[in-house]
Amino acid sequence: MTKIISGTDLANKLRAEIKEEATILQQKGIIPTLAVVLVGDNKASKSYVNSKHKACLENNINSVKIELDENISTASLLNEIEKLNNDSEVHGILVQLPLPKHIDAEQILNAVSPQKDVDGFHPINVGKLVIGEAKLIPCTPLGILEMIKSTGDEIDGKLALIIGRSNIVGKPISTLLLQNNATVITAHSKTKNLDSLLEQADIIVSCVGSAHFLTGEKKVKETVTIIDVGNNYKDGKLVGDVNLEEFMEKVAYISPVPGGVGPLTITMLMRNTLTATYDLLEK
Ligand code: GUN
């Protein structure tokens, strides 16, 4: 029987733990604080930022929104980041992507203090992830790992197939699963014989960004866990990379869209904000 991995239920469980920790910090007079920087008025970005803001406040994490004009220069934005880096009351900084085209995004992400980099996008944190020493790890991959672990199945020695190699999801989840002793294959648009890899995989993570990229015609193991990271619109409806209906009763575990990875990403952002808070307190 196929079991649905509910990201919503798992997120609620983890959020209760986060809220308890944040409340204890608040009782000690420490207010864990996330600063979210939003440049311009991209509708999707605004909606993501509002969801992050709301979730933080619901879980006793302070959230500060810094909304900046679309036409801000890279230099002025760098100046804003520097202010947040130097603000001892701010523990986590997130710069919402994508940034407007005229801004040098790489320069901006590199300017965020690695200790406050709750996205885990700074090259120092990326490097630390590769050598297994990262404290701040990108939120979506952390959420995916929680979902896989929630099945209770061992990851050790399993063949994990990651489809997609983005810096935000594909590469970091490949690295995380490798650290959890999976044998990892990272597939991408130039990969040959994806079908034969799908047949062998024990864990499949699809982060392709193409509506219903994986259909029930694909042969997969009956014991496979499928995590769908897709966030695509088809006929005005949010759908994943995986046609879930077509895999029902054919696989062991599958995550839905919506209600899958999405709620976990925001949960891990709050987890990272607490991690950054503890880390800064130690210094
Ligand atoms: N835009 C879409 N996803 C993300 C994310 O994980 N972090 C940031 N900063 N921006 C995003």
Side-chain angles (χ1 to χ4, degrees), residues 43-70:
K43 252 175 90 180
S45 290
K46 266 194 161 169
S47 156
Y48 287 138
V49 165
N50 286 335
S51 305
K52 291 169 186 175
H53 183 70
K54 186 166 158 267
C56 282
L57 298 183
E58 280 170 4
N59 292 285
N60 283 351
I61 292 174
N62 185 31
S63 165
V64 185
K65 272 196 268 182
I66 294 120
E67 295 180 85
L68 301 168
D69 190 86
E70 174 87 24

PDB file of all heavy atoms in Angstrom, residues 43-70:
ATOM      1  N   LYS A  43       5.245  39.215  -7.496  1.00  0.00           N
ATOM      2  CA  LYS A  43       4.089  38.708  -6.738  1.00  0.00           C
ATOM      3  C   LYS A  43       4.387  37.407  -5.991  1.00  0.00           C
ATOM      4  O   LYS A  43       4.053  37.256  -4.817  1.00  0.00           O
ATOM      5  CB  LYS A  43       2.906  38.483  -7.697  1.00  0.00           C
ATOM      6  CG  LYS A  43       1.812  39.526  -7.515  1.00  0.00           C
ATOM      7  CD  LYS A  43       0.721  39.357  -8.533  1.00  0.00           C
ATOM      8  CE  LYS A  43      -0.375  38.421  -8.030  1.00  0.00           C
ATOM      9  NZ  LYS A  43      -1.440  38.250  -9.041  1.00  0.00           N
ATOM     10  N   ALA A  44       5.051  36.474  -6.690  1.00  0.00           N
ATOM     11  CA  ALA A  44       5.334  35.174  -6.064  1.00  0.00           C
ATOM     12  C   ALA A  44       6.271  35.371  -4.873  1.00  0.00           C
ATOM     13  O   ALA A  44       6.068  34.793  -3.800  1.00  0.00           O
ATOM     14  CB  ALA A  44       5.952  34.223  -7.076  1.00  0.00           C
ATOM     15  N   SER A  45       7.306  36.237  -5.060  1.00  0.00           N
ATOM     16  CA  SER A  45       8.262  36.479  -3.974  1.00  0.00           C
ATOM     17  C   SER A  45       7.560  37.094  -2.768  1.00  0.00           C
ATOM     18  O   SER A  45       7.818  36.717  -1.627  1.00  0.00           O
ATOM     19  CB  SER A  45       9.382  37.416  -4.432  1.00  0.00           C
ATOM     20  OG  SER A  45      10.204  36.750  -5.354  1.00  0.00           O
ATOM     21  N   LYS A  46       6.658  38.034  -3.040  1.00  0.00           N
ATOM     22  CA  LYS A  46       5.919  38.691  -1.948  1.00  0.00           C
ATOM     23  C   LYS A  46       5.126  37.655  -1.157  1.00  0.00           C
ATOM     24  O   LYS A  46       5.102  37.670   0.075  1.00  0.00           O
ATOM     25  CB  LYS A  46       4.948  39.734  -2.518  1.00  0.00           C
ATOM     26  CG  LYS A  46       5.525  41.119  -2.566  1.00  0.00           C
ATOM     27  CD  LYS A  46       4.441  42.133  -2.809  1.00  0.00           C
ATOM     28  CE  LYS A  46       4.958  43.499  -2.383  1.00  0.00           C
ATOM     29  NZ  LYS A  46       4.102  44.585  -2.802  1.00  0.00           N
ATOM     30  N   SER A  47       4.496  36.758  -1.893  1.00  0.00           N
ATOM     31  CA  SER A  47       3.670  35.748  -1.243  1.00  0.00           C
ATOM     32  C   SER A  47       4.545  34.795  -0.398  1.00  0.00           C
ATOM     33  O   SER A  47       4.209  34.472   0.739  1.00  0.00           O
ATOM     34  CB  SER A  47       2.884  35.019  -2.327  1.00  0.00           C
ATOM     35  OG  SER A  47       2.512  33.770  -1.910  1.00  0.00           O
ATOM     36  N   TYR A  48       5.716  34.378  -0.938  1.00  0.00           N
ATOM     37  CA  TYR A  48       6.630  33.529  -0.168  1.00  0.00           C
ATOM     38  C   TYR A  48       7.079  34.243   1.099  1.00  0.00           C
ATOM     39  O   TYR A  48       7.088  33.675   2.191  1.00  0.00           O
ATOM     40  CB  TYR A  48       7.898  33.188  -0.972  1.00  0.00           C
ATOM     41  CG  TYR A  48       7.720  32.192  -2.092  1.00  0.00           C
ATOM     42  CD1 TYR A  48       8.348  32.390  -3.319  1.00  0.00           C
ATOM     43  CD2 TYR A  48       6.973  31.035  -1.924  1.00  0.00           C
ATOM     44  CE1 TYR A  48       8.210  31.477  -4.354  1.00  0.00           C
ATOM     45  CE2 TYR A  48       6.836  30.120  -2.954  1.00  0.00           C
ATOM     46  CZ  TYR A  48       7.450  30.345  -4.164  1.00  0.00           C
ATOM     47  OH  TYR A  48       7.325  29.439  -5.193  1.00  0.00           O
ATOM     48  N   VAL A  49       7.462  35.514   0.931  1.00  0.00           N
ATOM     49  CA  VAL A  49       7.979  36.280   2.075  1.00  0.00           C
ATOM     50  C   VAL A  49       6.895  36.417   3.145  1.00  0.00           C
ATOM     51  O   VAL A  49       7.159  36.257   4.338  1.00  0.00           O
ATOM     52  CB  VAL A  49       8.510  37.661   1.606  1.00  0.00           C
ATOM     53  CG1 VAL A  49       8.707  38.609   2.767  1.00  0.00           C
ATOM     54  CG2 VAL A  49       9.815  37.474   0.840  1.00  0.00           C
ATOM     55  N   ASN A  50       5.658  36.647   2.707  1.00  0.00           N
ATOM     56  CA  ASN A  50       4.565  36.771   3.680  1.00  0.00           C
ATOM     57  C   ASN A  50       4.340  35.450   4.419  1.00  0.00           C
ATOM     58  O   ASN A  50       4.094  35.452   5.627  1.00  0.00           O
ATOM     59  CB  ASN A  50       3.271  37.235   3.000  1.00  0.00           C
ATOM     60  CG  ASN A  50       3.360  38.715   2.646  1.00  0.00           C
ATOM     61  OD1 ASN A  50       4.112  39.473   3.261  1.00  0.00           O
ATOM     62  ND2 ASN A  50       2.596  39.134   1.646  1.00  0.00           N
ATOM     63  N   SER A  51       4.440  34.338   3.702  1.00  0.00           N
ATOM     64  CA  SER A  51       4.269  33.032   4.363  1.00  0.00           C
ATOM     65  C   SER A  51       5.367  32.799   5.393  1.00  0.00           C
ATOM     66  O   SER A  51       5.106  32.288   6.484  1.00  0.00           O
ATOM     67  CB  SER A  51       4.327  31.883   3.358  1.00  0.00           C
ATOM     68  OG  SER A  51       3.408  32.081   2.346  1.00  0.00           O
ATOM     69  N   LYS A  52       6.594  33.172   5.037  1.00  0.00           N
ATOM     70  CA  LYS A  52       7.721  32.990   5.970  1.00  0.00           C
ATOM     71  C   LYS A  52       7.511  33.847   7.206  1.00  0.00           C
ATOM     72  O   LYS A  52       7.705  33.396   8.345  1.00  0.00           O
ATOM     73  CB  LYS A  52       9.041  33.373   5.280  1.00  0.00           C
ATOM     74  CG  LYS A  52       9.461  32.416   4.183  1.00  0.00           C
ATOM     75  CD  LYS A  52      10.627  32.949   3.342  1.00  0.00           C
ATOM     76  CE  LYS A  52      10.899  32.012   2.178  1.00  0.00           C
ATOM     77  NZ  LYS A  52      11.914  32.495   1.249  1.00  0.00           N
ATOM     78  N   HIS A  53       7.113  35.097   6.971  1.00  0.00           N
ATOM     79  CA  HIS A  53       6.902  36.072   8.045  1.00  0.00           C
ATOM     80  C   HIS A  53       5.823  35.554   9.017  1.00  0.00           C
ATOM     81  O   HIS A  53       6.018  35.519  10.231  1.00  0.00           O
ATOM     82  CB  HIS A  53       6.476  37.393   7.399  1.00  0.00           C
ATOM     83  CG  HIS A  53       6.290  38.524   8.343  1.00  0.00           C
ATOM     84  ND1 HIS A  53       7.345  39.132   9.000  1.00  0.00           N
ATOM     85  CD2 HIS A  53       5.172  39.174   8.768  1.00  0.00           C
ATOM     86  CE1 HIS A  53       6.882  40.102   9.765  1.00  0.00           C
ATOM     87  NE2 HIS A  53       5.567  40.144   9.645  1.00  0.00           N
ATOM     88  N   LYS A  54       4.716  35.091   8.441  1.00  0.00           N
ATOM     89  CA  LYS A  54       3.583  34.633   9.251  1.00  0.00           C
ATOM     90  C   LYS A  54       3.994  33.406  10.080  1.00  0.00           C
ATOM     91  O   LYS A  54       3.716  33.331  11.288  1.00  0.00           O
ATOM     92  CB  LYS A  54       2.427  34.282   8.299  1.00  0.00           C
ATOM     93  CG  LYS A  54       1.138  33.937   8.964  1.00  0.00           C
ATOM     94  CD  LYS A  54      -0.007  33.959   7.939  1.00  0.00           C
ATOM     95  CE  LYS A  54      -1.166  33.123   8.431  1.00  0.00           C
ATOM     96  NZ  LYS A  54      -1.146  31.732   7.974  1.00  0.00           N
ATOM     97  N   ALA A  55       4.672  32.465   9.430  1.00  0.00           N
ATOM     98  CA  ALA A  55       5.073  31.240  10.145  1.00  0.00           C
ATOM     99  C   ALA A  55       5.997  31.570  11.310  1.00  0.00           C
ATOM    100  O   ALA A  55       5.871  30.999  12.395  1.00  0.00           O
ATOM    101  CB  ALA A  55       5.760  30.281   9.173  1.00  0.00           C
ATOM    102  N   CYS A  56       6.927  32.501  11.093  1.00  0.00           N
ATOM    103  CA  CYS A  56       7.856  32.888  12.171  1.00  0.00           C
ATOM    104  C   CYS A  56       7.066  33.443  13.351  1.00  0.00           C
ATOM    105  O   CYS A  56       7.248  32.996  14.491  1.00  0.00           O
ATOM    106  CB  CYS A  56       8.842  33.946  11.680  1.00  0.00           C
ATOM    107  SG  CYS A  56      10.164  33.258  10.701  1.00  0.00           S
ATOM    108  N   LEU A  57       6.185  34.384  13.074  1.00  0.00           N
ATOM    109  CA  LEU A  57       5.451  35.035  14.166  1.00  0.00           C
ATOM    110  C   LEU A  57       4.590  34.019  14.922  1.00  0.00           C
ATOM    111  O   LEU A  57       4.484  34.078  16.146  1.00  0.00           O
ATOM    112  CB  LEU A  57       4.611  36.209  13.641  1.00  0.00           C
ATOM    113  CG  LEU A  57       5.429  37.347  12.996  1.00  0.00           C
ATOM    114  CD1 LEU A  57       4.534  38.491  12.568  1.00  0.00           C
ATOM    115  CD2 LEU A  57       6.537  37.859  13.925  1.00  0.00           C
ATOM    116  N   GLU A  58       4.027  33.056  14.197  1.00  0.00           N
ATOM    117  CA  GLU A  58       3.191  32.022  14.852  1.00  0.00           C
ATOM    118  C   GLU A  58       4.015  31.132  15.776  1.00  0.00           C
ATOM    119  O   GLU A  58       3.470  30.452  16.631  1.00  0.00           O
ATOM    120  CB  GLU A  58       2.536  31.121  13.782  1.00  0.00           C
ATOM    121  CG  GLU A  58       1.307  31.744  13.147  1.00  0.00           C
ATOM    122  CD  GLU A  58       0.822  30.957  11.930  1.00  0.00           C
ATOM    123  OE1 GLU A  58       1.402  29.877  11.623  1.00  0.00           O
ATOM    124  OE2 GLU A  58      -0.108  31.437  11.280  1.00  0.00           O
ATOM    125  N   ASN A  59       5.323  31.089  15.538  1.00  0.00           N
ATOM    126  CA  ASN A  59       6.168  30.170  16.311  1.00  0.00           C
ATOM    127  C   ASN A  59       7.159  30.890  17.223  1.00  0.00           C
ATOM    128  O   ASN A  59       8.216  30.356  17.549  1.00  0.00           O
ATOM    129  CB  ASN A  59       6.867  29.201  15.353  1.00  0.00           C
ATOM    130  CG  ASN A  59       5.870  28.258  14.721  1.00  0.00           C
ATOM    131  OD1 ASN A  59       5.393  27.333  15.367  1.00  0.00           O
ATOM    132  ND2 ASN A  59       5.493  28.532  13.487  1.00  0.00           N
ATOM    133  N   ASN A  60       6.792  32.105  17.588  1.00  0.00           N
ATOM    134  CA  ASN A  60       7.586  32.896  18.544  1.00  0.00           C
ATOM    135  C   ASN A  60       8.980  33.263  18.058  1.00  0.00           C
ATOM    136  O   ASN A  60       9.892  33.464  18.856  1.00  0.00           O
ATOM    137  CB  ASN A  60       7.667  32.198  19.916  1.00  0.00           C
ATOM    138  CG  ASN A  60       6.371  32.368  20.675  1.00  0.00           C
ATOM    139  OD1 ASN A  60       5.505  33.136  20.247  1.00  0.00           O
ATOM    140  ND2 ASN A  60       6.225  31.680  21.782  1.00  0.00           N
ATOM    141  N   ILE A  61       9.124  33.319  16.717  1.00  0.00           N
ATOM    142  CA  ILE A  61      10.371  33.831  16.139  1.00  0.00           C
ATOM    143  C   ILE A  61      10.045  35.207  15.576  1.00  0.00           C
ATOM    144  O   ILE A  61       9.045  35.365  14.860  1.00  0.00           O
ATOM    145  CB  ILE A  61      10.904  32.879  15.052  1.00  0.00           C
ATOM    146  CG1 ILE A  61      11.357  31.560  15.714  1.00  0.00           C
ATOM    147  CG2 ILE A  61      12.045  33.515  14.252  1.00  0.00           C
ATOM    148  CD1 ILE A  61      11.771  30.477  14.761  1.00  0.00           C
ATOM    149  N   ASN A  62      10.842  36.176  15.927  1.00  0.00           N
ATOM    150  CA  ASN A  62      10.589  37.529  15.428  1.00  0.00           C
ATOM    151  C   ASN A  62      10.994  37.590  13.958  1.00  0.00           C
ATOM    152  O   ASN A  62      11.996  37.008  13.553  1.00  0.00           O
ATOM    153  CB  ASN A  62      11.399  38.527  16.270  1.00  0.00           C
ATOM    154  CG  ASN A  62      11.091  39.954  15.899  1.00  0.00           C
ATOM    155  OD1 ASN A  62       9.968  40.259  15.492  1.00  0.00           O
ATOM    156  ND2 ASN A  62      12.067  40.823  16.022  1.00  0.00           N
ATOM    157  N   SER A  63      10.186  38.272  13.156  1.00  0.00           N
ATOM    158  CA  SER A  63      10.514  38.393  11.742  1.00  0.00           C
ATOM    159  C   SER A  63      10.413  39.857  11.335  1.00  0.00           C
ATOM    160  O   SER A  63       9.440  40.524  11.661  1.00  0.00           O
ATOM    161  CB  SER A  63       9.549  37.524  10.926  1.00  0.00           C
ATOM    162  OG  SER A  63       9.598  37.867   9.569  1.00  0.00           O
ATOM    163  N   VAL A  64      11.454  40.316  10.649  1.00  0.00           N
ATOM    164  CA  VAL A  64      11.474  41.703  10.206  1.00  0.00           C
ATOM    165  C   VAL A  64      11.535  41.683   8.683  1.00  0.00           C
ATOM    166  O   VAL A  64      12.405  41.015   8.100  1.00  0.00           O
ATOM    167  CB  VAL A  64      12.751  42.419  10.742  1.00  0.00           C
ATOM    168  CG1 VAL A  64      12.715  43.895  10.392  1.00  0.00           C
ATOM    169  CG2 VAL A  64      12.907  42.209  12.232  1.00  0.00           C
ATOM    170  N   LYS A  65      10.587  42.374   8.041  1.00  0.00           N
ATOM    171  CA  LYS A  65      10.588  42.430   6.568  1.00  0.00           C
ATOM    172  C   LYS A  65      11.262  43.719   6.136  1.00  0.00           C
ATOM    173  O   LYS A  65      10.897  44.791   6.607  1.00  0.00           O
ATOM    174  CB  LYS A  65       9.148  42.457   6.047  1.00  0.00           C
ATOM    175  CG  LYS A  65       8.545  41.104   5.826  1.00  0.00           C
ATOM    176  CD  LYS A  65       7.290  41.190   4.962  1.00  0.00           C
ATOM    177  CE  LYS A  65       6.044  41.337   5.805  1.00  0.00           C
ATOM    178  NZ  LYS A  65       4.797  41.365   5.021  1.00  0.00           N
ATOM    179  N   ILE A  66      12.242  43.619   5.263  1.00  0.00           N
ATOM    180  CA  ILE A  66      12.867  44.829   4.733  1.00  0.00           C
ATOM    181  C   ILE A  66      12.509  44.895   3.253  1.00  0.00           C
ATOM    182  O   ILE A  66      13.026  44.113   2.438  1.00  0.00           O
ATOM    183  CB  ILE A  66      14.390  44.828   4.965  1.00  0.00           C
ATOM    184  CG1 ILE A  66      14.641  44.892   6.474  1.00  0.00           C
ATOM    185  CG2 ILE A  66      15.092  46.012   4.315  1.00  0.00           C
ATOM    186  CD1 ILE A  66      15.376  43.769   7.019  1.00  0.00           C
ATOM    187  N   GLU A  67      11.565  45.776   2.930  1.00  0.00           N
ATOM    188  CA  GLU A  67      11.077  45.853   1.551  1.00  0.00           C
ATOM    189  C   GLU A  67      11.754  47.018   0.844  1.00  0.00           C
ATOM    190  O   GLU A  67      11.683  48.156   1.307  1.00  0.00           O
ATOM    191  CB  GLU A  67       9.560  45.983   1.549  1.00  0.00           C
ATOM    192  CG  GLU A  67       8.927  44.723   2.128  1.00  0.00           C
ATOM    193  CD  GLU A  67       7.410  44.734   2.171  1.00  0.00           C
ATOM    194  OE1 GLU A  67       6.804  44.391   1.146  1.00  0.00           O
ATOM    195  OE2 GLU A  67       6.859  45.083   3.220  1.00  0.00           O
ATOM    196  N   LEU A  68      12.446  46.722  -0.242  1.00  0.00           N
ATOM    197  CA  LEU A  68      13.251  47.741  -0.920  1.00  0.00           C
ATOM    198  C   LEU A  68      12.769  47.940  -2.353  1.00  0.00           C
ATOM    199  O   LEU A  68      12.204  47.029  -2.972  1.00  0.00           O
ATOM    200  CB  LEU A  68      14.723  47.317  -0.901  1.00  0.00           C
ATOM    201  CG  LEU A  68      15.308  47.113   0.510  1.00  0.00           C
ATOM    202  CD1 LEU A  68      16.653  46.410   0.454  1.00  0.00           C
ATOM    203  CD2 LEU A  68      15.452  48.450   1.240  1.00  0.00           C
ATOM    204  N   ASP A  69      13.041  49.137  -2.830  1.00  0.00           N
ATOM    205  CA  ASP A  69      12.582  49.511  -4.166  1.00  0.00           C
ATOM    206  C   ASP A  69      13.258  48.665  -5.250  1.00  0.00           C
ATOM    207  O   ASP A  69      14.453  48.355  -5.162  1.00  0.00           O
ATOM    208  CB  ASP A  69      12.904  51.000  -4.389  1.00  0.00           C
ATOM    209  CG  ASP A  69      12.247  51.500  -5.651  1.00  0.00           C
ATOM    210  OD1 ASP A  69      11.074  51.900  -5.563  1.00  0.00           O
ATOM    211  OD2 ASP A  69      12.905  51.454  -6.730  1.00  0.00           O
ATOM    212  N   GLU A  70      12.498  48.310  -6.243  1.00  0.00           N
ATOM    213  CA  GLU A  70      12.950  47.539  -7.409  1.00  0.00           C
ATOM    214  C   GLU A  70      14.241  48.109  -8.015  1.00  0.00           C
ATOM    215  O   GLU A  70      15.109  47.375  -8.484  1.00  0.00           O
ATOM    216  CB  GLU A  70      11.798  47.593  -8.445  1.00  0.00           C
ATOM    217  CG  GLU A  70      12.069  47.000  -9.796  1.00  0.00           C
ATOM    218  CD  GLU A  70      11.773  45.504  -9.812  1.00  0.00           C
ATOM    219  OE1 GLU A  70      10.968  45.052  -8.990  1.00  0.00           O
ATOM    220  OE2 GLU A  70      12.390  44.813 -10.648  1.00  0.00           O
TER     221      GLU A  70
END
